[in-house]
Structures are given as structure tokens and as C-alpha cells.
Amino acid sequence: MAATANLAQALGGGPSPAADKSEVPVEHLDYTYINNCTSGKELEQILKVLRSGKEGRWQDLESRCEQRLSEVYPKSKLLRVATSLLKPGALDEETRKNVDQDITDWLNNMNERDNSLKNSKNLTFTALPEVRQTGNVDSNRLTEEEKAENKANPDRINSYDYR
């Protein structure tokens, strides 16, 4: 492996895959190392290598790594197991009735709130300010005073005359 890495570097192929930061040394794929490891990220990398089969299939070592990872870092994404959603037929009769009753209660509660909000439209609030009036504003119409005021300042510096 080292000879091929040196050959790849000599030929200008860049660093070998073994030089990658996420690469796990083969020495770390051992029961004693996994049992003594306290880094969750390192255990995750080891588990990824074991699951990939890159270094062979070691099911016992993989299961021990999963156990150790669950002890050190139980919130790891690698420990998540995909499960399918439950269908109503999968629940027992009592649980299904409880769920149906909870949903019905929630739905009735939301309908009551909705109706109370619909009926409250007629209420007026005196503390609110008046709504602004929309109208046409002619920005080109200036009064004679504003025109004279704009032209009356001879000390004004032109935008291009900064010396």
C-alpha cells in the first residue's frame, strides 16, 4: 500500500487515498482499540469503514463498534435505524380508539377557535390608528417656493466638482 502511494505521488497523481483525513488506520480496527476509544467521531469513522467492507466484513467487530458508539455518543446518526410508518391496522383496537379520540378532540377544539375568530370580525378596536388613505401623489408638482429654494443656494458644490 505504501509503495503504491509513493508511486502515485512520484507520478504526480497527488496524495494517495490513505492520506485522506477521514481514512482510518488498519491498526484501529481492533477490539482493544474500540473498547478503549472515547472519541465519538473516531468511532463513527471506524464504523463507516467497517460497514463499507473496504477492509473486509467483520460483523462481530462492527456490532462491538456500534455498542461502544452507543455508549460514548448515543445521538450518533449512524445508530439510527430506519423504520416504516405504522398503519392503523398495525395498532391494537384500544390504542387506535385513543388516537382517533385525540384527533377528534383536537379537530373540535380547532373548529371552535375558528368559529370564535370568525365571529370576532365585527368587533371594533378603538385603540387602533386610522388606516392611511391612498391617493395620487404628483411628485413632479413643486410649489414655487420649493423651486426657488432649490435654485437659491449658489454655494452648493456640484457633484462633479470636488477639488
Side-chain angles (χ1 to χ4, degrees):
M1 181 78 170
T4 58
N6 291 338
L7 181 61
Q9 286 180 343
L11 294 175
S16 69
D20 189 14
K21 290 180 182 178
S22 65
E23 190 69 30
V24 177
V26 178
E27 294 83 20
H28 292 185
L29 304 177
D30 186 30
Y31 285 101
T32 56
Y33 185 82
I34 290 174
N35 289 335
N36 295 331
C37 184
T38 57
S39 171
K41 298 226 180 232
E42 191 171 0
L43 285 170
E44 282 181 339
Q45 290 175 350
I46 292 171
L47 186 58
K48 284 179 187 177
V49 169
L50 289 172
R51 285 182 177 172
S52 72
K54 186 188 286 186
E55 300 295 334
R57 294 295 299 177
W58 305 93
Q59 293 173 350
D60 292 336
L61 186 61
E62 186 177 327
S63 63
R64 177 59 193 140
C65 187
E66 288 173 355
Q67 289 173 355
R68 181 67 181 154
L69 183 60
S70 67
E71 295 168 4
V72 174
Y73 186 46
K75 294 183 180 180
S76 173
K77 290 181 180 178
L78 294 177
L79 296 175
R80 294 181 185 169
V81 178
T83 58
S84 62
L85 295 175
L86 287 177
K87 296 182 180 177
L91 298 173
D92 59 7
E93 189 67 27
E94 184 179 333
T95 307
R96 193 173 350 154
K97 285 182 181 178
N98 288 339
V99 170
D100 286 342
Q101 185 62 40
D102 288 344
I103 291 173
T104 305
D105 292 344
W106 177 82
L107 188 59
N108 291 336
N109 187 8
M110 290 299 116
N111 285 334
E112 287 175 11
R113 285 186 181 182
D114 191 36
N115 289 334
S116 68
L117 288 174
K118 285 179 183 177
N119 294 336
S120 68
K121 283 183 183 178
N122 300 332
L123 298 177
T124 57
F125 297 101
T126 56
L128 296 177
E130 292 184 20
V131 178
R132 294 181 185 175
Q133 298 294 323
T134 59
N136 294 336
V137 177
D138 190 9
S139 61
N140 295 331
R141 268 189 15 202
L142 294 177
T143 62
E144 293 299 323
E145 293 176 9
E146 291 173 340
K147 286 181 183 176
E149 189 177 300
N150 288 342
K151 291 183 180 179
N153 192 357
D155 296 332
R156 181 177 159 267
I157 298 174
N158 292 330
S159 61
Y160 55 85
D161 192 20
Y162 292 107
R163 295 184 210 180

